[in-house]
Amino acid sequence: MKLKSQIIDWTLFYILVAAVPVMMYFIFIWSPVERVLGPAQKIFYFHVGCAWVAFLAFFVVGVYSVFNLIKPKMNHFIYAGVSAEIGVLFTTVTLLTGMVWGRISWNVWWSWEPRLVTTLILWFIYVAYLFIRKMDGRWEKIARLSGVFGIIGCLNVPIVFMATRWWNSKLHPVVFGEGKNETGGGLEPEMLFTLIFSVVTITILYLFLMRKGAEIEKMRTRVKQAKNKLLQKWAN
Amino acid sequence: MNFLFFACTVTWLLIAAYVVVLGKRQKQLQAEIKQLEEWNSEQ
């Protein structure tokens, strides 16, 4: 079982070692330069890739939070926590790269635009979620309480995605699902390929971080249990 | 182009920082396991 897990970890690692330089090549050299924004438009590939992974991470938190509300299990609690951490990390990257994008295209670092505001709310929800998990007390109780926050955050994900459509914001471009046939605002085939490649690579990075993070947290739980056993033995 | 490099650097720096944090957590746990083994052998 451990060997199988190690093989998966190393496979993911080697895929990443190969895919990340290829992704950088696609972004910086191979993909065409956009006419209006110039090379700065290429921020889009990092920005969208990280936003997608943040959404995925929060969806995973939501699913494990539901499981924890039904019946708390340590493994579910661990997976939810690690996924939330990675989600916060990628939301931070999304917000920061979005700010750089905003500076170029809107000439401001921040605008109180629906997509940005809902993303910031999402970030705050999951930061609060991580703080709740650090509380003292029985883990089952914390799993249930944090689970509520996890689900609220997960419900906020579709709101973030649909924000530009529902509030009809003209600032944030709608790239997919727009127009007569809902095919999108239009991306060159090379741009679309680079975007898909970036999203897949960053998703593999998420899987790798998730496995590593969960492995460490499981180890932490086992160490804690062993410590308690030893202390009990000493007390007797 | 500067903005692109800035965004790229921010992205990879944050991801690298998280990997470093994971590494530190693992090291700390390994030290705790070693300590537990020492306590166990002392008994």
Side-chain angles (χ1 to χ4, degrees):
Chain A
M1 193 71 179
K2 205 181 172 193
L3 183 74
K4 196 178 159 191
S5 175
Q6 276 180 341
I7 290 171
I8 296 171
D9 282 346
W10 280 109
T11 309
L12 287 174
F13 178 74
Y14 283 122
I15 291 173
L16 280 173
V17 167
V20 170
V22 175
M23 179 184 104
M24 300 303 272
Y25 169 78
F26 282 154
I27 292 174
F28 281 89
I29 299 163
W30 188 69
S31 66
V33 175
E34 207 257 344
R35 241 184 318 155
V36 181
L37 292 173
Q41 177 271 338
K42 290 166 188 265
I43 291 170
F44 168 79
Y45 304 114
F46 295 108
H47 182 68
V48 176
C50 290
W52 151 253
V53 169
F55 288 170
L56 174 70
F58 294 145
F59 176 72
V60 171
V61 178
V63 170
Y64 281 117
S65 296
V66 171
F67 290 161
N68 273 328
L69 276 184
I70 297 167
K71 195 181 178 202
K73 268 189 184 170
M74 187 45 100
N75 271 2
H76 295 163
F77 183 56
I78 287 173
Y79 284 125
V82 177
S83 193
E85 265 184 9
I86 302 170
V88 168
L89 168 75
F90 281 103
T91 310
T92 309
V93 174
T94 307
L95 283 169
L96 290 174
T97 51
M99 282 169 78
V100 179
W101 175 280
R103 175 67 185 80
I104 303 155
S105 55
W106 313 330
N107 210 25
V108 283
W109 289 100
W110 183 263
S111 159
W112 295 101
E113 185 257 357
R115 173 69 62 80
L116 270 69
V117 175
T118 48
T119 309
L120 189 64
I121 291 169
L122 186 70
W123 186 85
F124 276 121
I125 290 172
Y126 279 103
V127 169
Y129 173 88
L130 292 176
F131 275 112
I132 289 169
R133 287 179 63 95
K134 298 277 176 207
M135 277 184 355
D136 281 335
R138 284 182 60 220
W139 73 267
E140 291 95 335
K141 207 174 170 187
I142 295 169
R144 283 210 173 96
L145 183 64
S146 61
V148 175
F149 266 76
I151 292 167
I152 292 170
C154 185
L155 292 176
N156 194 27
V157 169
I159 297 174
V160 175
F161 184 76
M162 296 303 288
T164 46
R165 292 163 175 89
W166 287 346
W167 288 285
N168 203 21
S169 164
K170 297 291 175 210
L171 279 176
H172 228 106
V174 177
V175 182
F176 300 104
E178 188 73 336
K180 232 181 191 177
N181 304 321
E182 298 209 330
T183 51
L187 271 181
E188 287 289 316
E190 291 93 340
M191 285 181 171
L192 186 63
F193 182 80
T194 308
L195 177 66
I196 293 169
F197 194 88
S198 306
V199 167
V200 171
T201 305
I202 299 173
T203 307
I204 295 169
L205 179 63
Y206 163 75
L207 288 176
F208 179 74
L209 292 175
M210 181 78 183
R211 287 182 63 84
K212 279 283 147 201
E215 191 187 305
I216 291 167
E217 291 307 313
K218 281 178 189 172
M219 204 201 291
R220 191 197 300 279
T221 314
R222 280 199 292 269
V223 168
K224 210 175 169 183
Q225 282 169 349
K227 249 184 190 173
N228 286 341
K229 256 188 190 172
L230 205 65
L231 286 173
Q232 239 173 7
K233 212 170 141 186
W234 283 353
N236 291 333
Chain B
M1 203 68 173
N2 285 345
F3 282 115
L4 174 60
F5 279 115
F6 177 68
C8 177
T9 310
V10 164
T11 304
W12 290 116
L13 269 182
L14 283 175
I15 293 168
Y18 185 66
V19 173
V20 169
V21 168
L22 285 184
K24 275 192 175 174
R25 280 181 196 169
Q26 195 166 13
K27 255 190 178 172
Q28 193 193 341
L29 279 172
Q30 276 165 347
E32 278 185 47
I33 290 170
K34 213 176 168 185
Q35 197 181 35
L36 273 173
E37 280 170 350
E38 277 171 18
W39 284 349
N40 220 8
S41 63
E42 275 172 22
Q43 274 234 314

